[in-house]
Amino acid sequence: MGVSIRDALTLDVLKDAQIIAGQRGFDKLIKRVSVVECPDCEDYKGLLREGDFFLTSFYAVKDDPACLAMTVKTLIESGSSGLCVLDLYMTDLPEEIKVMADRKRYPILMVSRDLPYAEIITEIMDLIIQNKENIIIEMQVDKLLLEKDIHNLRGLARQINPKFQEYVAAVYCTGKKGICRLTSKLRESFKELPGWSLLSYKDGILILISTPKQLEHSHLIKEQNYLSQTIEGYVKEFNLGISRHYRGLESLGICIKEALHANSLGEKVLGQKITNYKDLGVYRILSVVKEAPEVKEFHDEMILPLQEYDSKSNTNLFKTALSYIENDGDVNKTAQELFQHKNTIRYRLTKIKEILNMEGLEGSFYEQLAVAVKIHKMR
């Protein structure tokens, strides 16, 4: 984990940068940012480091194509991550240099002469520092998820935020790549709530909430709406997973697990933007055992015969089964969703029972089919 050229290009200071060459090297990691304006990098090889990201205007070699090419070659051979050129003395590079950079997967950017070196250096270094802080935070959260001892759990929670109070909940927010860049902005939005902590975690934002007392359901809904509306002010496409509200700071790890679980299942299985863990129903159990051989066997016995029949007969029995379960066994709603007559749906359900050797069953048929469909949606 680290800050790549690709990550740096998401910064405001580089939003208008032109990609001159080396686009296939965007995953190279930046370890530090340096300015290079020397007339001959050969003399300074000992100062170059792997992972350096260089800024230059190429003033010293702007009138010497051979020396310019040698400078770029030396920077590439040093193991540096990339090069950012200010368009003060040139607006492009010679074709042979771009071909060399492409071959070596060495990113070269061109930015406006109006951008101060200091601004570019500061923003990229801030990103590197934030990344290191995020790694430490992730390690703390991971320890919290694995710890069993109550005393240690409370201590780990206090390390994250000494102002945490006794009633806790967690929310996990995901969205487009780079959504964790919003953490600092959201943190500013909730700065008046000292019992809240907003952390970059994995590919999303983990929001840890604490209160001095148990909140009423209506208050929880109000907090949830406030949170989602605030996030929506920064990004339109996001998914929230929300844990239950627990008493005891030692329960913070459970809250985080529930929030992560709700986020994953809500988006993938339920197709919901906001998902409360308590509303996952049987998915809470199935998600734990979905990899068990017996579960796979049950899924295959129920689902594969329908899919094979549809493939051979050009029918839509499996789609009908999905709709039937998603509409809680309501034939009329299933017919409306599939634009079919309800008698057509009844006929298809009868055919499904026949294929699965479940004729004469009603409650058990629906129950088993519902479990099989839910397992299928998690695959």
Side-chain angles (χ1 to χ4, degrees):
M1 187 176 181
V3 172
S4 66
I5 301 288
R6 193 185 309 278
D7 295 326
L9 284 169
T10 65
L11 296 171
D12 287 342
V13 73
L14 293 179
K15 65 181 180 181
D16 296 322
Q18 290 182 295
I19 313 304
I20 298 298
Q23 190 164 351
R24 290 186 299 165
F26 278 2
D27 291 326
K28 290 179 182 289
L29 298 182
I30 303 172
K31 295 182 180 179
R32 66 177 186 176
V33 187
S34 302
V35 176
V36 56
E37 292 289 7
C38 54
D40 187 355
C41 280
E42 280 287 332
D43 296 335
Y44 297 92
K45 271 188 173 181
L47 301 177
L48 307 180
R49 294 287 184 271
E50 182 180 346
D52 278 343
F53 181 70
F54 290 108
L55 308 178
T56 185
S57 67
F58 279 139
Y59 171 76
V61 294
K62 61 184 176 61
D63 299 318
D64 189 341
C67 194
L68 173 61
M70 181 56 67
T71 298
V72 175
K73 182 174 183 293
T74 302
L75 294 178
I76 293 174
E77 291 175 349
S78 74
S80 62
S81 58
L83 180 63
C84 183
V85 183
L86 272 71
D87 64 1
L88 186 58
Y89 301 107
M90 54 185 69
T91 57
D92 203 353
L93 294 180
E95 190 62 29
E96 60 269 23
I97 291 179
K98 293 192 287 186
V99 170
M100 175 176 60
D102 281 333
R103 188 173 66 251
K104 297 293 186 178
R105 299 187 179 188
Y106 185 74
I108 301 180
L109 317 177
M110 185 76 73
V111 296
S112 170
R113 69 191 70 187
D114 297 324
L115 277 177
Y117 281 157
E119 189 173 340
I120 300 173
I121 292 171
T122 299
E123 288 210 24
I124 296 178
M125 289 308 299
D126 283 349
L127 188 60
I128 291 172
I129 292 168
Q130 184 62 56
N131 179 260
K132 290 180 178 179
E133 291 176 355
N134 291 346
I135 292 173
I136 294 171
I137 289 169
E138 283 200 15
M139 292 172 64
Q140 288 178 318
V141 173
D142 288 340
K143 284 182 68 176
L144 194 63
L145 294 176
L146 295 172
E147 184 59 62
K148 303 295 183 184
D149 182 83
I150 292 178
H151 178 74
N152 291 340
L153 282 167
R154 295 181 68 86
L156 287 168
R158 293 287 185 201
Q159 285 180 24
I160 294 174
N161 186 345
K163 295 182 180 180
F164 274 148
Q165 300 173 16
E166 275 303 300
Y167 288 84
V168 290
V171 178
Y172 189 56
C173 176
T174 56
K176 289 184 176 180
K177 183 176 175 61
I179 192 171
C180 52
R181 300 269 185 272
L182 295 175
T183 305
S184 57
K185 293 181 180 178
L186 287 172
R187 194 178 288 138
E188 184 67 20
S189 297
F190 298 112
K191 65 181 179 181
E192 301 301 324
L193 300 168
W196 288 37
S197 281
L198 283 83
L199 318 170
S200 293
Y201 185 71
K202 306 300 184 186
D203 295 320
I205 301 170
L206 183 61
I207 304 163
L208 306 179
I209 301 169
S210 70
T211 58
K213 61 181 182 179
Q214 184 77 47
L215 299 181
E216 298 290 335
H217 179 70
S218 59
H219 197 160
L220 287 171
I221 296 298
K222 184 179 178 181
E223 293 285 357
Q224 177 178 304
N225 291 338
Y226 170 59
L227 181 59
S228 62
Q229 288 168 10
T230 303
I231 294 173
E232 200 163 20
Y234 293 100
V235 58
K236 297 301 179 185
E237 296 182 21
F238 63 90
N239 293 89
L240 294 184
I242 304 171
S243 77
R244 290 174 290 186
H245 199 209
Y246 281 87
R247 178 182 180 179
L249 194 51
E250 65 275 8
S251 301
L252 192 59
I254 297 174
C255 293
I256 295 171
K257 289 177 183 177
E258 289 188 358
L260 296 173
H261 213 48
N263 179 279
S264 173
L265 289 176
E267 180 181 3
K268 180 181 177 181
V269 177
L270 303 179
Q272 296 179 174
K273 188 173 184 176
I274 301 174
T275 305
N276 282 279
Y277 180 81
K278 65 180 180 60
D279 296 332
L280 289 175
V282 72
Y283 284 112
R284 284 157 50 182
I285 300 171
L286 293 177
S287 62
V288 175
V289 299
K290 66 178 181 178
E291 301 301 330
E294 296 83 358
V295 174
K296 182 181 184 303
E297 182 181 3
F298 177 77
H299 167 273
D300 291 350
E301 288 176 355
M302 295 289 292
I303 300 299
L304 294 187
L306 301 181
Q307 292 179 328
E308 290 169 1
Y309 185 89
D310 283 343
S311 179
K312 291 177 182 177
S313 307
N314 195 29
T315 53
N316 289 302
L317 295 184
F318 180 59
K319 184 177 179 181
T320 301
L322 287 176
S323 178
Y324 179 63
I325 298 305
E326 288 171 354
N327 285 290
D328 296 323
D330 190 312
V331 171
N332 290 333
K333 288 182 179 179
T334 304
Q336 290 173 7
E337 183 176 278
L338 298 179
F339 302 102
Q340 299 291 331
H341 193 278
K342 58 185 179 182
N343 289 337
T344 301
I345 301 302
R346 290 194 180 98
Y347 169 78
R348 290 181 182 177
L349 291 172
T350 300
K351 190 65 180 177
I352 290 171
K353 291 178 183 178
E354 179 186 319
I355 293 169
L356 298 177
N357 298 314
M358 300 182 76
E359 301 101 316
L361 300 179
E362 283 303 328
S364 176
F365 164 72
Y366 175 80
E367 180 183 85
Q368 293 186 58
L369 184 62
V371 171
V373 165
K374 286 175 168 59
I375 295 169
H376 181 81
K377 291 175 72 174
M378 290 189 296
R379 292 169 70 88

CSV table of all heavy atoms in Angstrom, one decimal, residues 137-173:
chain,number,residue,atom,x,y,z
A,137,ILE,N,-3.9,3.5,11.1
A,137,ILE,CA,-5.3,3.4,11.6
A,137,ILE,C,-5.9,2.1,11.2
A,137,ILE,O,-6.6,1.4,12.0
A,137,ILE,CB,-6.1,4.6,10.9
A,137,ILE,CG1,-5.8,5.9,11.6
A,137,ILE,CG2,-7.6,4.3,11.1
A,137,ILE,CD1,-6.3,7.1,10.9
A,138,GLU,N,-5.6,1.6,10.0
A,138,GLU,CA,-6.1,0.3,9.5
A,138,GLU,C,-5.6,-0.8,10.5
A,138,GLU,O,-6.3,-1.8,10.8
A,138,GLU,CB,-5.7,0.0,8.1
A,138,GLU,CG,-6.5,0.8,7.1
A,138,GLU,CD,-6.5,0.1,5.7
A,138,GLU,OE1,-6.0,-1.0,5.6
A,138,GLU,OE2,-6.9,0.8,4.7
A,139,MET,N,-4.3,-0.7,10.9
A,139,MET,CA,-3.8,-1.7,11.8
A,139,MET,C,-4.5,-1.7,13.1
A,139,MET,O,-4.8,-2.7,13.7
A,139,MET,CB,-2.3,-1.4,12.0
A,139,MET,CG,-1.4,-1.7,10.7
A,139,MET,SD,0.3,-1.2,10.9
A,139,MET,CE,0.8,-2.3,12.2
A,140,GLN,N,-4.8,-0.5,13.6
A,140,GLN,CA,-5.6,-0.4,14.9
A,140,GLN,C,-7.0,-1.0,14.7
A,140,GLN,O,-7.4,-1.7,15.6
A,140,GLN,CB,-5.7,1.1,15.3
A,140,GLN,CG,-4.4,1.7,15.7
A,140,GLN,CD,-4.6,3.2,16.1
A,140,GLN,OE1,-5.2,3.9,15.4
A,140,GLN,NE2,-4.0,3.6,17.2
A,141,VAL,N,-7.6,-0.7,13.6
A,141,VAL,CA,-9.0,-1.2,13.4
A,141,VAL,C,-8.9,-2.8,13.3
A,141,VAL,O,-9.7,-3.5,13.9
A,141,VAL,CB,-9.7,-0.6,12.2
A,141,VAL,CG1,-11.0,-1.3,11.9
A,141,VAL,CG2,-9.9,0.9,12.4
A,142,ASP,N,-7.9,-3.3,12.5
A,142,ASP,CA,-7.8,-4.7,12.4
A,142,ASP,C,-7.5,-5.4,13.7
A,142,ASP,O,-8.1,-6.5,14.0
A,142,ASP,CB,-6.7,-5.0,11.4
A,142,ASP,CG,-7.0,-4.7,10.0
A,142,ASP,OD1,-8.2,-4.6,9.7
A,142,ASP,OD2,-6.1,-4.5,9.1
A,143,LYS,N,-6.7,-4.8,14.6
A,143,LYS,CA,-6.5,-5.4,15.9
A,143,LYS,C,-7.8,-5.4,16.7
A,143,LYS,O,-8.1,-6.3,17.4
A,143,LYS,CB,-5.5,-4.5,16.7
A,143,LYS,CG,-4.0,-4.8,16.2
A,143,LYS,CD,-3.0,-4.0,17.0
A,143,LYS,CE,-3.0,-4.4,18.5
A,143,LYS,NZ,-1.9,-3.7,19.2
A,144,LEU,N,-8.6,-4.3,16.6
A,144,LEU,CA,-9.9,-4.2,17.3
A,144,LEU,C,-10.8,-5.4,16.8
A,144,LEU,O,-11.6,-5.9,17.6
A,144,LEU,CB,-10.5,-2.9,17.0
A,144,LEU,CG,-11.7,-2.4,17.8
A,144,LEU,CD1,-11.3,-2.3,19.3
A,144,LEU,CD2,-12.2,-1.1,17.3
A,145,LEU,N,-10.8,-5.7,15.5
A,145,LEU,CA,-11.6,-6.7,15.0
A,145,LEU,C,-11.2,-8.1,15.5
A,145,LEU,O,-12.1,-9.0,15.5
A,145,LEU,CB,-11.6,-6.7,13.5
A,145,LEU,CG,-12.2,-5.4,12.8
A,145,LEU,CD1,-12.1,-5.5,11.3
A,145,LEU,CD2,-13.7,-5.3,13.2
A,146,LEU,N,-10.0,-8.3,15.8
A,146,LEU,CA,-9.5,-9.6,16.2
A,146,LEU,C,-9.4,-9.8,17.7
A,146,LEU,O,-9.5,-11.0,18.2
A,146,LEU,CB,-8.0,-9.8,15.6
A,146,LEU,CG,-7.9,-9.9,14.1
A,146,LEU,CD1,-6.5,-9.9,13.7
A,146,LEU,CD2,-8.6,-11.1,13.6
A,147,GLU,N,-9.4,-8.7,18.5
A,147,GLU,CA,-9.2,-8.8,19.9
A,147,GLU,C,-10.5,-9.4,20.6
A,147,GLU,O,-11.6,-9.2,20.2
A,147,GLU,CB,-8.9,-7.4,20.5
A,147,GLU,CG,-8.7,-7.4,22.0
A,147,GLU,CD,-7.5,-8.3,22.4
A,147,GLU,OE1,-6.3,-8.0,21.9
A,147,GLU,OE2,-7.7,-9.2,23.2
A,148,LYS,N,-10.3,-10.2,21.6
A,148,LYS,CA,-11.4,-10.8,22.4
A,148,LYS,C,-11.5,-10.3,23.8
A,148,LYS,O,-12.6,-10.2,24.4
A,148,LYS,CB,-11.2,-12.4,22.4
A,148,LYS,CG,-11.0,-13.0,21.1
A,148,LYS,CD,-12.3,-12.9,20.3
A,148,LYS,CE,-12.2,-13.7,18.9
A,148,LYS,NZ,-13.4,-13.5,18.1
A,149,ASP,N,-10.4,-9.9,24.4
A,149,ASP,CA,-10.4,-9.5,25.8
A,149,ASP,C,-11.1,-8.1,25.9
A,149,ASP,O,-10.7,-7.1,25.2
A,149,ASP,CB,-8.9,-9.3,26.3
A,149,ASP,CG,-8.9,-8.9,27.7
A,149,ASP,OD1,-9.0,-9.8,28.6
A,149,ASP,OD2,-8.7,-7.7,28.0
A,150,ILE,N,-12.0,-8.0,26.8
A,150,ILE,CA,-12.8,-6.8,27.0
A,150,ILE,C,-12.0,-5.6,27.3
A,150,ILE,O,-12.1,-4.5,26.8
A,150,ILE,CB,-13.9,-7.0,28.0
A,150,ILE,CG1,-15.0,-8.0,27.5
A,150,ILE,CG2,-14.6,-5.6,28.4
A,150,ILE,CD1,-16.1,-8.3,28.5
A,151,HIS,N,-11.0,-5.8,28.3
A,151,HIS,CA,-10.1,-4.7,28.7
A,151,HIS,C,-9.3,-4.2,27.5
A,151,HIS,O,-9.2,-2.9,27.3
A,151,HIS,CB,-9.2,-5.2,29.8
A,151,HIS,CG,-8.3,-4.1,30.3
A,151,HIS,ND1,-8.7,-3.0,31.1
A,151,HIS,CD2,-6.9,-4.0,30.1
A,151,HIS,CE1,-7.6,-2.3,31.3
A,151,HIS,NE2,-6.5,-2.8,30.7
A,152,ASN,N,-8.8,-5.1,26.8
A,152,ASN,CA,-7.9,-4.7,25.6
A,152,ASN,C,-8.8,-4.0,24.5
A,152,ASN,O,-8.3,-3.0,23.9
A,152,ASN,CB,-7.2,-5.9,25.0
A,152,ASN,CG,-6.2,-6.4,25.9
A,152,ASN,OD1,-5.7,-5.7,26.8
A,152,ASN,ND2,-5.8,-7.7,25.7
A,153,LEU,N,-10.0,-4.5,24.4
A,153,LEU,CA,-10.9,-3.9,23.4
A,153,LEU,C,-11.2,-2.4,23.7
A,153,LEU,O,-11.2,-1.5,22.8
A,153,LEU,CB,-12.2,-4.6,23.3
A,153,LEU,CG,-12.2,-6.0,22.5
A,153,LEU,CD1,-13.5,-6.8,22.8
A,153,LEU,CD2,-12.1,-5.7,21.0
A,154,ARG,N,-11.5,-2.2,25.0
A,154,ARG,CA,-11.7,-0.8,25.4
A,154,ARG,C,-10.5,0.1,25.2
A,154,ARG,O,-10.6,1.2,24.8
A,154,ARG,CB,-12.2,-0.8,26.9
A,154,ARG,CG,-13.6,-1.5,27.1
A,154,ARG,CD,-14.0,-1.4,28.5
A,154,ARG,NE,-14.3,0.0,28.9
A,154,ARG,CZ,-15.5,0.6,28.8
A,154,ARG,NH1,-16.5,-0.1,28.2
A,154,ARG,NH2,-15.7,1.8,29.2
A,155,GLY,N,-9.3,-0.5,25.5
A,155,GLY,CA,-8.1,0.3,25.3
A,155,GLY,C,-7.8,0.6,23.9
A,155,GLY,O,-7.4,1.7,23.6
A,156,LEU,N,-8.1,-0.3,23.0
A,156,LEU,CA,-7.9,-0.1,21.6
A,156,LEU,C,-8.8,1.0,21.1
A,156,LEU,O,-8.5,1.8,20.2
A,156,LEU,CB,-8.1,-1.4,20.8
A,156,LEU,CG,-7.0,-2.4,20.9
A,156,LEU,CD1,-7.4,-3.8,20.3
A,156,LEU,CD2,-5.7,-1.9,20.2
A,157,ALA,N,-10.1,0.9,21.6
A,157,ALA,CA,-11.1,1.9,21.2
A,157,ALA,C,-10.6,3.3,21.6
A,157,ALA,O,-10.7,4.3,20.9
A,157,ALA,CB,-12.4,1.6,21.7
A,158,ARG,N,-10.1,3.4,22.8
A,158,ARG,CA,-9.6,4.7,23.4
A,158,ARG,C,-8.4,5.2,22.6
A,158,ARG,O,-8.2,6.4,22.5
A,158,ARG,CB,-9.3,4.6,24.8
A,158,ARG,CG,-10.4,4.3,25.8
A,158,ARG,CD,-11.3,5.5,25.9
A,158,ARG,NE,-12.4,5.2,26.9
A,158,ARG,CZ,-13.5,5.9,27.0
A,158,ARG,NH1,-13.7,6.9,26.1
A,158,ARG,NH2,-14.4,5.6,27.9
A,159,GLN,N,-7.6,4.3,22.0
A,159,GLN,CA,-6.5,4.8,21.2
A,159,GLN,C,-7.0,5.5,19.9
A,159,GLN,O,-6.4,6.4,19.5
A,159,GLN,CB,-5.6,3.6,20.8
A,159,GLN,CG,-4.8,3.0,21.9
A,159,GLN,CD,-4.0,1.8,21.5
A,159,GLN,OE1,-3.7,1.7,20.3
A,159,GLN,NE2,-3.6,1.0,22.4
A,160,ILE,N,-8.1,5.0,19.4
A,160,ILE,CA,-8.7,5.6,18.2
A,160,ILE,C,-9.3,7.0,18.5
A,160,ILE,O,-9.1,8.0,17.8
A,160,ILE,CB,-9.7,4.7,17.6
A,160,ILE,CG1,-9.0,3.4,17.0
A,160,ILE,CG2,-10.5,5.4,16.4
A,160,ILE,CD1,-10.0,2.4,16.5
A,161,ASN,N,-10.0,7.0,19.7
A,161,ASN,CA,-10.6,8.3,20.1
A,161,ASN,C,-10.8,8.3,21.6
A,161,ASN,O,-11.7,7.6,22.1
A,161,ASN,CB,-11.9,8.5,19.4
A,161,ASN,CG,-12.5,9.9,19.7
A,161,ASN,OD1,-12.1,10.6,20.6
A,161,ASN,ND2,-13.5,10.3,18.9
A,162,PRO,N,-10.0,9.0,22.4
A,162,PRO,CA,-10.1,9.1,23.8
A,162,PRO,C,-11.5,9.6,24.3
A,162,PRO,O,-11.9,9.4,25.4
A,162,PRO,CB,-9.0,10.0,24.3
A,162,PRO,CG,-8.1,10.1,23.1
A,162,PRO,CD,-8.9,9.9,21.9
A,163,LYS,N,-12.2,10.3,23.4
A,163,LYS,CA,-13.5,10.9,23.7
A,163,LYS,C,-14.7,10.0,23.4
A,163,LYS,O,-15.8,10.4,23.5
A,163,LYS,CB,-13.7,12.2,23.1
A,163,LYS,CG,-12.6,13.3,23.5
A,163,LYS,CD,-12.8,14.6,22.8
A,163,LYS,CE,-11.8,15.6,23.3
A,163,LYS,NZ,-12.0,16.9,22.7
A,164,PHE,N,-14.5,8.7,23.0
A,164,PHE,CA,-15.6,7.8,22.8
A,164,PHE,C,-16.4,7.7,24.1
A,164,PHE,O,-15.8,7.6,25.2
A,164,PHE,CB,-15.0,6.4,22.4
A,164,PHE,CG,-14.8,6.3,20.9
A,164,PHE,CD1,-13.8,5.5,20.5
A,164,PHE,CD2,-15.6,7.0,20.0
A,164,PHE,CE1,-13.5,5.3,19.1
A,164,PHE,CE2,-15.3,6.8,18.6
A,164,PHE,CZ,-14.3,6.0,18.2
A,165,GLN,N,-17.7,7.6,23.9
A,165,GLN,CA,-18.6,7.4,25.0
A,165,GLN,C,-19.2,6.0,25.0
A,165,GLN,O,-18.8,5.2,24.1
A,165,GLN,CB,-19.8,8.4,24.9
A,165,GLN,CG,-19.2,9.9,25.0
A,165,GLN,CD,-20.2,10.9,24.7
A,165,GLN,OE1,-21.4,10.7,24.8
A,165,GLN,NE2,-19.8,12.1,24.4
A,166,GLU,N,-20.1,5.6,25.9
A,166,GLU,CA,-20.4,4.2,26.2
A,166,GLU,C,-21.3,3.5,25.1
A,166,GLU,O,-21.3,2.3,25.0
A,166,GLU,CB,-21.0,4.1,27.6
A,166,GLU,CG,-19.9,4.0,28.6
A,166,GLU,CD,-19.0,2.8,28.4
A,166,GLU,OE1,-19.4,1.6,28.3
A,166,GLU,OE2,-17.8,3.1,28.3
A,167,TYR,N,-22.1,4.3,24.5
A,167,TYR,CA,-23.0,3.6,23.5
A,167,TYR,C,-22.4,3.9,22.1
A,167,TYR,O,-22.1,5.0,21.7
A,167,TYR,CB,-24.4,4.2,23.6
A,167,TYR,CG,-25.2,3.8,24.8
A,167,TYR,CD1,-25.0,4.4,26.0
A,167,TYR,CD2,-26.0,2.7,24.8
A,167,TYR,CE1,-25.6,4.0,27.2
A,167,TYR,CE2,-26.7,2.3,25.9
A,167,TYR,CZ,-26.5,2.9,27.1
A,167,TYR,OH,-27.1,2.5,28.2
A,168,VAL,N,-22.3,2.8,21.3
A,168,VAL,CA,-21.5,2.9,20.1
A,168,VAL,C,-22.2,2.3,18.9
A,168,VAL,O,-23.1,1.4,19.0
A,168,VAL,CB,-20.1,2.2,20.2
A,168,VAL,CG1,-19.2,3.0,21.1
A,168,VAL,CG2,-20.2,0.8,20.7
A,169,ALA,N,-21.9,2.8,17.7
A,169,ALA,CA,-22.4,2.2,16.4
A,169,ALA,C,-21.3,2.5,15.4
A,169,ALA,O,-20.4,3.3,15.6
A,169,ALA,CB,-23.7,2.9,16.1
A,170,ALA,N,-21.4,1.9,14.2
A,170,ALA,CA,-20.5,2.1,13.2
A,170,ALA,C,-21.2,2.2,11.8
A,170,ALA,O,-22.3,1.6,11.6
A,170,ALA,CB,-19.4,1.0,13.1
A,171,VAL,N,-20.6,3.0,10.9
A,171,VAL,CA,-21.2,3.1,9.6
A,171,VAL,C,-20.0,3.0,8.6
A,171,VAL,O,-18.9,3.5,8.9
A,171,VAL,CB,-21.8,4.5,9.3
A,171,VAL,CG1,-22.3,4.6,7.9
A,171,VAL,CG2,-23.0,4.7,10.3
A,172,TYR,N,-20.2,2.2,7.6
A,172,TYR,CA,-19.1,2.0,6.6
A,172,TYR,C,-19.6,2.6,5.2
A,172,TYR,O,-20.7,2.1,4.7
A,172,TYR,CB,-18.6,0.6,6.4
A,172,TYR,CG,-17.4,0.4,5.6
A,172,TYR,CD1,-16.2,1.1,5.9
A,172,TYR,CD2,-17.4,-0.4,4.5
A,172,TYR,CE1,-15.1,1.0,5.1
A,172,TYR,CE2,-16.2,-0.6,3.7
A,172,TYR,CZ,-15.1,0.1,4.0
A,172,TYR,OH,-14.0,0.0,3.3
A,173,CYS,N,-18.9,3.5,4.6
A,173,CYS,CA,-19.2,4.2,3.4
A,173,CYS,C,-18.3,3.8,2.3
A,173,CYS,O,-17.1,3.9,2.4
A,173,CYS,CB,-19.3,5.7,3.6
A,173,CYS,SG,-19.6,6.6,2.1
